[in-house]
Amino acid sequence: MIDIILDHYNYWIVIFLMMSGFYTVISQGNLIKKIAGINIFQTSVFLLYISIGYVDDGTPPIIAEGYTTYANPLPHVLILTAIVVGVSTTALGLALVIRIKEAYSTIEEDEIHDKDKSL
Amino acid sequence: MNDQQLLLLAVMLPFGGAIGIMLCHRWPNLREAVTLVTATGVCVVVFNIYMLFSDGVELTAEIARPLPGLSLGLEVEPLGMSFALVASVLWLITSIYSIGYMRGRDKQNQTRFYALFAIAIGSTLGAAFAGNLLSLFLFYEILTVSTYPLVAHAGTNKARRGARTYVGILLASSIMLLLFAILITYTAAGSLDFQRGGILAGKLDPASAGLLYALFVFGTAKAAVMPFHQWLPAAMVAPTPVSALLHAVAVVKVGVFTILKITVYIFGTDFITRSGASDWLIWFAGGTILLASFIAMTRDNLKLRLAYSTISQLSYIVLGALLATNISLVGSALHISMHAFAKITLFFAAGAILVATNKSDVSDMGGLGRAMPITFGAFLIGSLSIIGLPPFGGMWSKWYLALGTVETGQWLLLSVLLLSSLLNIAYLLPVPVRGFFGKTSDNASYSGIKEAPPSCLAAMIITSLACVLLFLYPDPFYELALNAFGGN
Amino acid sequence: MIEQNLSLLLVIIPLLSAPVTAILPNARSAWLLTLAVTWTCLILAGWQITLVTDGSIISYELGGWSPPWGIEYRIDAMNAFVALIVSGIAAITLPYALLSVEKEIPLEKIPLFYSAFQLCLVGLLGIAQTGDVFNLFVFLEISSLSSYALIAMGEQRRSLTAAYQYLIMGTIGATFLLIGIGLIYAETGTLNMLDLNQRLQPILDHRTVHTGFAFIVVGIALKLALFPLHLWLPNAYKYAPSVISVFLAATATKVAVYIMLRMVFGVFSDEFVRKTPTDHMFLLLGAFGVIMASATAIYQRDVKRLFAYSSIAQVSYIVLGIGLSSVLGVTAALVHVFNHALMKGALFMACGALVYRLGSSRFENLNGVGRQMPWTCVAIFIASLSLIGIPGTAGFISKWYFVLAALEQESWPIALVILLGSLLAVGYVWKIVELLFLRPASDSTATVGEAPAALLVPMWLLVIANIYFGFNTELTVNVADTAARMLGLGMNHE
C-alpha cells in the first residue's frame, strides 16, 4: 500500500495540485485569486504530462552514443504549447481583471454582483 | 399552360395576391381591386380544375422534395375538390363583404388584413389539394400562423388574450399530437401518401391504431372536438369577415377535412371498422355536439353563440368520419359545404348588425329585424339550413349523417343528432324571432338605423340564395362525395 | 495546386491576415481585409465540401510528416460541413458588421477587433479541419481566447464580467479536455484521431480510458453549454457586441458539438458509448436541458438573453441526437447544427438591429416596435417559426429527424421531450411576437426608423435560407447522413 503511494508520488502531487487549484477557483470571490487557482490547476496538468513522458532508466532525449533508453520527448513538447496557452489565458484574465477594477473599482465578486444589481 | 401549372396556380395565386396587396398599400381602392381580381382569378382557376377533374384528368404537381422519399405535392381528389370549390367561391363573396365591413368600421391596418386573408385562403386551398399528409400539415400550420394576426387585429388586451389562446391551443395540439401522430404513421407505414383503403392497414395492432387515431382526432384541434375547442370562441375577437370565412369555413373546415382525409386515405374505413379504433372516440364527438349546443344557448353575444354552434356542427362532420361508413362519410363531406354556406350567412348577418347598429348581444336585438329586414331574413334562412329543414341545403347532409347512424345501429347517436337539431332551433331561431317580433329593448327608436352597406347585403343575399340552391341542386358536391367514398 | 492545399489554406489564410489586420491604420481597411478573408474562406470551404460529399476523404500531411507522427488534416463530410457552416456564417456576418461594429466599438480599436475576429475564425476552422487531438485543443484555445477578448469589447461594463466568467469556465473546460487527451495518450501513445480509434478498440475497458473519456466529455460539455454547465452562456451572448453574439451563437457551440461527435464516436466508438452509461447520460442531460432551458427562456425580459437560453435548449436537442447514438440521431444532430446556425444567426442579427436603433434589447424598450421596424421584426418572426419547427422552415426538418430518430428506437419519452421543447418554444416566441407587434408603441419606439439596409440584407439572407433549407434539404440531409455513416455508426445494428 505504502509502495503504491510512494511509487506514484508524482501523480499524488498532480491530484493534490489539481484539487487545490480547482477548489480555489470555485471558492474564492477575489478575481485575482481565481486566476491563481486556474494557474495551479493548469500546472498540475503540466506535471501530469511531464510524468507521462518518464521512462524507467531513461536519459534526456538527446541522441548520443551509448544511450538507448531515453524519456519520451513528445509530451514535453506538447506541454510547452499548453504552457504558452496557459500564459496567454492568465495574461488575458489579468487584463480583464484590470478593466473590471476600472469599471467597478473592486475585484470582489459579490461586490460586483451588488453593483450590477443596484443598476 | 398545362394542367400541373394550373393546380400550382390555384394555390400560388392567393400568395401572389398577398404580395400585390402589400405593394398597393398606399392606394386603398387599388388594393381592394387586387383582392377582388385575385379572388375572381382563384375562382376561375378552381372551376377550371373542377372541369378538368370531372373529365377524369388526373392532376398532380410537386412543389419540393424536402425529405428523402417524402415530397411536398398537390393532388386533386374528390373531397379536396369540393372543399376547394367552397373555399374559393366563399372567398370571393367574403371579399365583397369585407370591403363594406372594414370601411364601415374604419379599421386599422387594412393592408395587413387583406394580405393575410389572401395567405390564409392560399393555405386553405393548399390543404384542400394537398397530395400527402406532410403537405397537408404544412398548409395546416401556415394557416394557423397567418390567421393569428387576423385574430389579434383589434390590438386590444382582449384581442391579444384571445389570439394567444387561439394560437396556443392550435399550435400546441398540432405539435404535440398531430405531428407526433404523423411521425408515428411515417415510422409504421414508411409513407405518408394518401391512398384509397389507407396505408396503415396491417401495420398496427388494433390498440395502437385506436391511440393513433385519437392523436389525430384531438391533434387536429381545428376540428374543435372537445376538450380542444376553446380556441374557437377565443377567436371571435377577430373582425367579422375573419370569423365568417376563416372561423366558420376555412380554418375549421381544414380541421374536419384533415380528419376525413386521415380516416379515408391513411387509416382506410375498413381498418377503422375492423380495429374498432373509433369506438370510444365517437362519444367525444357526440358529447361535443350536445354540450356545445347547450353552451350556445347560454351565450348572449351573437358571435359567441355562433361559435359554439360551429363547434357543435363540426362534430357532426367528425362523427360522420368516425362512423366510417360510406353513407356517413358522404354526409360529412356534404356537411362541409352545406354548413359553410349556412354559417357564413349567419356571420355575415351578425357583422352587418354590428356595422349598422354596433350591437352584438342577442338580448339587445329586439325589433331590429323591422329596421333591417334583409339582414334578419338572411339570418333566418341560414338558421333553417343549419337546423336541417327543407328547402335548404343543410337537410341533405343531416339526412346522410342520420342514415349513417342508423346503418351502424348507433341509435343513441341518432337521438343525439335529433336532439341537437332541436337545440339548434332553440338557440338560433330566437334571434330572427326577436328581431322581427320582439320589442325594442330600451324604448330606443330605430329610426336612425338603416340596413348595412350594400356590399354586405349583396354578400348575404348570395350566400342565402346558395343555401336554397344547394337544396335543389346538390349534385356537384354529392357526386364528388360519392366519388370519394363510393368506390370501395 | 490550390486544391491540394485546400485544407491548410482554409486555416492559414485567416491566421496570416489576423496580425496584418491588427496593424492596419483605419477601421474601413481592416473591415475590407476581413471581408475578403472570410469570403475567400467560404469559397474554399464550399470547394472542399464538393470534394467529400461522396464519402471520400482528403488527407493532408502538415509539413510532409506522415501520420501518426505528424499532424494530419483529415477532411471527411462532417469536417467539411462544419467548416462550411463556420466560414459561411463568418462571411455573412461581415457585411452586417460594418455599421454595427462602427457603432459599438471605439474607432481606434476596430482593427484589433477584426484581428481577434479572424483569430476566432482560425480557431474554429482549425478545429473543423484537424485530425489530431492535441492540435484540436490548441485551436480550441485560440478560438476561446479570442472570443473572451471579443466579448469583453461589449459596450456595457457587464461584458467584462461576462467575459471573465466565460474565461474561467472555458479554461476549466479546456483543461479538462487536456487532461483527458493526456490520459488517452498515456494509454495509446498516439494523438492522431484515426490511429487513436484503432488503438483504443482493444483496450476500451481499461480504467484510464474511462477516466480520460470522462474528462474529455465534461470538458467539451462545458464548451457546449450542456445543461447544467451552461451558466456562462447567457451573459456572454447578451453582453457581447452584436456581431459577436451573431457569430458565436451561430458557430461556437456548433463547433463544440462537432468536437463531441468526433471524440465520442470518431475517437472512441458507439460500441464504447453503449457499453458505458454515456448514452443514457446524454439523453438525460439533453432532456433536462431542453425542458429547463426552454422554460427559463420564457421568463426572460431581454430578447438577447431569451435567445441565449433558447440556444442552450437547441444544443440540448443536439445532445439528445448524440445520445440516441444511431445514424438517424447523429444525422438529426448535424442537420440541426446547420439549421440552428441559420436560425440563431438571423435572430441575433435582428437583435443587433434592434440594439443598433434602440440601444437596448430589454423588453420594456421594445414595445410595439414592429410597426416602425417591420423588416427586422418580421425577420425575428420567421426565424422564430423556424426555431419552433413550423413546417416550411429549416427547423421543421431538424425536428422531424429528431423525432424520427427517437421513434426508430421506440424512445417515446425522448420523442415527447422534443415535441414538448417545441411547445415551450411557442411560449417564448409568442411573448416576443406580442411584444413586438401587438403592444402599443412607447415614446422611444414610436419615432425610431427601420434598420439600415446593410444590417437588413444579411439578416434576410439568413431568413430566406431558413425557408430555403426547409424545402430543399439536399445539402444538409445528404451531407449529415454521409457524415453520420462515416463515423462508423450503425455497423452493429442496421
Side-chain angles (χ1 to χ4, degrees):
Chain A
M1 184 63 197
I2 294 288
D3 285 354
I4 295 179
I5 296 174
L6 288 180
D7 283 357
H8 297 95
Y9 71 95
N10 48 341
Y11 290 105
W12 291 107
I13 294 174
V14 166
I15 291 170
F16 173 73
L17 282 178
M18 195 180 279
M19 288 305 120
S20 39
F22 201 41
Y23 179 74
T24 314
V25 179
I26 295 168
S27 63
Q28 288 298 326
N30 183 304
L31 299 187
I32 299 244
K33 287 184 182 166
K34 267 181 190 288
I35 303 260
I38 282 273
N39 260 311
I40 298 171
F41 183 49
Q42 286 179 320
T43 307
S44 73
V45 184
F46 304 159
L47 273 182
L48 174 73
Y49 267 74
I50 292 167
S51 304
I52 293 171
Y54 175 77
V55 175
D56 278 340
D57 301 328
T59 62
I62 299 165
I63 298 175
E65 264 179 59
Y67 299 105
T68 46
T69 318
Y70 48 88
N72 183 355
L74 187 66
H76 303 165
V77 175
L78 294 180
I79 218 56
L80 263 182
T81 318
I83 290 171
V84 172
V85 170
V87 169
S88 2
T89 312
T90 313
L92 183 62
L94 290 175
L96 277 175
V97 174
I98 292 172
R99 293 274 310 274
I100 289 173
K101 168 82 174 164
E102 283 169 6
Y104 289 87
S105 44
T106 174
I107 52 166
E108 293 296 330
E109 213 169 29
D110 43 352
E111 289 173 23
I112 292 171
H113 196 66
D114 290 344
K115 290 202 174 185
D116 276 334
K117 245 188 182 168
S118 62
L119 274 178
Chain B
M1 176 181 298
N2 66 26
D3 304 345
Q4 270 68 26
Q5 286 165 335
L6 192 69
L7 186 55
L8 279 176
L9 187 68
V11 179
M12 291 307 157
L13 201 56
F15 288 98
I19 295 170
I21 289 164
M22 279 189 264
L23 291 179
C24 303
H25 68 103
R26 282 169 211 277
W27 310 282
N29 287 329
L30 189 59
R31 179 186 70 200
E32 262 81 303
V34 173
T35 303
L36 287 177
V37 167
T38 316
T40 317
V42 170
C43 264
V44 171
V45 172
V46 172
F47 268 107
N48 271 316
I49 293 175
Y50 176 59
M51 299 314 258
L52 284 171
F53 181 70
S54 27
D55 289 345
V57 179
E58 282 203 5
L59 286 152
T60 53
E62 187 176 280
I63 303 171
R65 187 170 277 274
L67 298 160
L70 268 180
S71 67
L72 279 179
L74 302 175
E75 184 183 10
V76 184
E77 51 81 49
L79 203 54
M81 190 66 243
S82 83
F83 183 33
L85 277 176
V86 174
S88 58
V89 170
L90 287 181
W91 184 33
L92 180 58
I93 300 173
T94 311
S95 302
I96 300 171
Y97 178 87
S98 47
I99 291 167
Y101 179 88
M102 294 305 275
R103 294 197 170 178
R105 304 278 295 169
D106 195 23
K107 292 269 185 177
Q108 298 284 308
N109 295 330
Q110 294 201 16
T111 305
R112 191 176 78 184
F113 175 88
Y114 288 112
L116 287 167
F117 215 113
I119 292 175
I121 294 300
S123 32
T124 307
L125 289 175
F129 289 135
N132 60 23
L133 199 48
L134 185 69
S135 322
L136 183 55
F137 184 62
L138 168 77
F139 289 113
Y140 183 97
E141 293 290 53
I142 297 179
L143 185 57
T144 308
V145 173
S146 63
T147 47
Y148 166 77
L150 292 173
V151 175
H153 192 86
T156 57
N157 268 329
K158 192 167 164 244
R160 204 151 58 220
R161 264 201 312 278
R164 196 184 300 157
T165 314
Y166 176 79
V167 82
I169 294 181
L170 287 184
L171 278 185
S173 59
S174 68
I175 291 171
M176 287 303 285
L177 306 175
L178 184 55
L179 178 59
F180 195 34
I182 292 174
L183 279 152
I184 294 174
T185 308
Y186 183 65
T187 313
S191 139
L192 290 175
D193 292 340
F194 290 133
Q195 268 173 30
R196 282 202 176 204
I199 54 173
L200 277 172
K203 301 203 166 119
L204 279 179
D205 57 282
S208 342
L211 280 177
L212 183 63
Y213 199 46
L215 280 182
F216 272 121
V217 170
F218 291 119
T220 317
K222 288 199 165 106
V225 176
M226 284 183 181
F228 289 91
H229 66 287
Q230 204 51 51
W231 62 270
L232 187 54
M236 289 300 136
V237 294
T240 305
V242 175
S243 308
L245 183 58
L246 297 178
H247 300 118
V249 181
V251 174
V252 292
K253 296 295 154 58
V254 165
V256 289
F257 175 76
T258 306
I259 293 182
L260 273 177
K261 288 274 264 196
I262 287 165
T263 305
V264 180
Y265 298 116
I266 296 292
F267 278 83
T269 49
D270 286 348
F271 183 51
I272 287 184
T273 327
R274 258 188 300 116
S275 64
S278 65
D279 283 359
W280 53 282
L281 282 170
I282 50 176
W283 300 109
F284 276 90
T288 307
I289 293 177
L290 281 186
L291 265 177
S293 299
F294 280 119
I295 297 174
M297 292 206 305
T298 66
R299 292 292 181 269
D300 192 33
N301 180 300
L302 183 55
K303 277 177 76 180
L304 271 186
R305 187 177 286 199
L306 293 179
Y308 277 102
S309 158
T310 307
I311 295 174
S312 160
Q313 299 291 322
L314 288 173
S315 274
Y316 278 73
I317 304 172
V318 176
L319 185 66
L322 296 178
L323 289 173
T325 68
N326 288 343
I327 291 183
S328 71
L329 285 166
V330 168
S332 285
L334 278 180
H335 204 53
I336 289 185
S337 340
M338 302 302 176
H339 176 251
F341 281 96
K343 194 41 86 42
I344 205 168
T345 313
L346 296 183
F347 271 108
F348 282 166
I353 297 169
L354 192 67
V355 171
T357 70
N358 228 352
K359 286 181 192 305
S360 55
D361 287 347
V362 178
S363 51
D364 291 344
M365 291 178 187
L368 212 51
R370 292 192 288 275
M372 306 176 67
I374 302 180
T375 306
F376 276 78
F379 195 98
L380 181 64
I381 293 175
S383 307
L384 293 174
S385 183
I386 295 230
I387 294 163
L389 293 177
F392 303 104
M395 193 211 90
W396 292 119
S397 48
K398 289 221 171 166
W399 175 256
Y400 282 105
L401 283 170
L403 273 185
T405 58
V406 172
E407 192 188 35
T408 49
Q410 300 278 10
W411 300 105
L412 201 54
L413 283 177
L414 179 64
S415 51
V416 165
L417 290 186
L418 296 179
L419 178 60
S420 160
S421 288
L422 288 178
L423 291 172
N424 289 345
I425 297 177
Y427 64 77
L428 283 177
L429 282 189
V431 179
V433 168
R434 201 183 285 237
F436 285 121
F437 307 113
K439 284 199 190 111
T440 48
S441 48
D442 43 4
N443 299 326
S445 75
Y446 289 136
S447 54
I449 289 178
K450 292 195 296 272
E451 276 285 8
S455 75
C456 295
L457 288 182
M460 261 184 288
I461 293 170
I462 297 172
T463 52
S464 37
L465 283 180
C467 288
V468 181
L469 195 67
L470 283 174
F471 174 76
L472 301 171
Y473 188 68
D475 305 30
F477 293 112
Y478 181 68
E479 271 160 21
L480 282 172
L482 216 55
N483 190 346
F485 311 118
N488 45 5
Chain C
M1 171 62 193
I2 294 180
E3 189 170 320
Q4 281 157 0
N5 296 311
L6 198 59
S7 317
L8 183 66
L9 281 175
L10 206 47
V11 182
I12 223 81
I13 290 175
L15 184 62
L16 291 180
S17 85
V20 177
T21 314
I23 54 168
L24 282 178
N26 62 47
R28 285 288 161 111
S29 55
W31 175 76
L32 258 179
L33 180 60
T34 316
L35 183 75
V37 166
T38 51
W39 280 90
T40 314
C41 285
L42 177 60
I43 292 166
L44 292 177
W47 189 354
Q48 179 175 262
I49 202 166
T50 58
L51 301 176
V52 294
T53 38
D54 56 349
S56 53
I57 289 172
I58 305 173
S59 172
Y60 183 89
E61 295 163 6
L62 243 68
W65 294 91
S66 61
W69 295 280
I71 293 172
E72 181 194 16
Y73 281 7
R74 196 178 165 80
I75 316 297
D76 67 13
M78 183 156 74
N79 301 82
F81 191 49
V82 175
L84 182 71
I85 295 173
V86 171
S87 51
I89 293 290
I92 199 106
T93 311
L94 248 278
Y96 177 90
L98 179 64
L99 289 181
S100 182
V101 168
E102 279 177 9
K103 176 134 180 156
E104 291 178 20
I105 309 288
L107 206 61
E108 71 278 7
K109 285 192 184 158
I110 290 181
L112 293 172
F113 175 89
Y114 282 118
S115 177
F117 181 87
Q118 289 184 34
L119 280 178
C120 191
L121 181 65
V122 172
L124 296 173
L125 283 175
I127 293 170
Q129 299 288 92
T130 188
D132 181 285
V133 281
F134 196 84
N135 200 222
L136 185 141
F137 162 77
V138 174
F139 278 123
L140 182 67
E141 281 300 66
I142 292 177
S143 73
S144 301
L145 282 168
S146 48
S147 57
Y148 308 146
L150 287 167
I151 290 168
M153 289 171 114
E155 285 182 300
Q156 292 165 338
R157 64 178 183 180
R158 289 197 67 171
S159 59
L160 296 171
T161 44
Y164 183 85
Q165 197 186 7
Y166 185 20
L167 179 132
I168 297 290
M169 300 288 266
T171 307
I172 292 174
T175 312
F176 267 55
L177 182 64
L178 188 62
I179 297 170
I181 291 173
L183 290 174
I184 56 170
Y185 173 73
E187 278 286 301
T188 58
T190 182
L191 292 167
N192 182 287
M193 290 175 183
L194 192 66
D195 202 28
L196 266 175
N197 180 251
Q198 283 157 3
R199 294 195 192 198
L200 275 173
Q201 295 317 309
I203 52 166
L204 278 181
D205 44 358
H206 283 204
R207 201 165 295 167
T208 313
V209 174
H210 284 231
T211 317
F213 181 76
F215 271 112
I216 289 174
V217 167
V218 174
I220 305 168
L222 259 166
K223 285 280 164 194
L224 193 67
L226 171 60
F227 176 86
L229 302 174
H230 62 277
L231 293 170
W232 57 268
L233 186 140
N235 278 338
Y237 284 13
K238 158 87 178 80
Y239 294 108
S242 303
V243 173
I244 296 309
S245 301
V246 173
F247 186 63
L248 289 186
T251 58
T253 47
K254 311 296 165 303
V255 170
V257 168
Y258 160 77
I259 305 176
M260 187 69 100
L261 282 170
R262 180 62 78 194
M263 282 293 180
V264 168
F265 297 117
V267 172
F268 293 84
S269 61
D270 65 329
E271 192 194 335
F272 180 77
V273 172
R274 279 161 193 286
K275 267 201 225 161
T276 54
T278 315
D279 50 345
H280 293 100
M281 187 196 74
F282 278 142
L283 290 179
L284 197 68
L285 291 181
F288 267 104
V290 167
I291 291 174
M292 303 296 279
S294 305
T296 316
I298 294 180
Y299 293 100
Q300 297 307 311
R301 311 269 317 143
D302 180 299
V303 265
K304 272 177 104 175
R305 259 185 97 88
L306 189 152
F307 286 129
Y309 272 104
S310 143
S311 281
I312 299 168
Q314 304 296 320
V315 164
S316 303
Y317 283 116
I318 296 172
V319 171
L320 282 178
I322 300 175
L324 290 168
S325 59
S326 62
V327 171
L328 213 50
V330 172
T331 305
L334 280 172
V335 168
H336 199 49
V337 162
F338 184 89
N339 291 342
H340 184 232
L342 296 181
M343 296 170 207
K344 278 291 146 62
L347 283 171
F348 276 103
M349 278 189 183
C351 291
L354 292 175
V355 173
Y356 185 83
R357 279 293 184 224
L358 295 160
S360 163
S361 56
R362 292 190 63 77
F363 276 15
E364 57 262 30
N365 301 325
L366 298 178
N367 283 326
V369 74
R371 255 164 247 114
Q372 304 304 320
M373 302 176 68
W375 287 99
T376 308
C377 294
V378 171
I380 293 184
F381 183 58
I382 297 177
S384 300
L385 292 182
S386 187
L387 202 57
I388 298 173
I390 299 287
T393 59
F396 176 71
I397 306 292
S398 324
K399 290 285 150 64
W400 179 268
Y401 273 98
F402 277 123
V403 181
L404 221 52
L407 289 181
E408 181 193 47
Q409 303 183 5
E410 300 192 344
S411 328
W412 302 95
I414 299 301
L416 280 174
V417 163
I418 292 161
L419 295 172
L420 190 64
S422 288
L423 197 62
L424 292 169
V426 174
Y428 58 73
V429 162
W430 241 265
K431 248 180 85 172
I432 294 180
V433 169
E434 283 189 7
L435 171 81
L436 296 180
F437 293 102
L438 293 181
R439 294 206 182 269
S442 59
D443 295 344
S444 61
T445 51
T447 51
V448 76
E450 180 57 276
L455 302 189
L456 287 176
V457 170
M459 185 195 313
W460 272 87
L461 274 177
L462 284 178
V463 169
I464 290 165
N466 263 303
I467 295 174
Y468 177 80
F469 287 106
F471 285 99
N472 186 343
T473 56
E474 213 166 304
L475 172 71
T476 50
V477 172
N478 285 358
V479 173
D481 186 61
T482 313
R485 278 171 206 285
M486 290 179 73
L487 277 175
L489 283 157
M491 300 291 219
N492 334 323
H493 47 89
E494 202 170 358

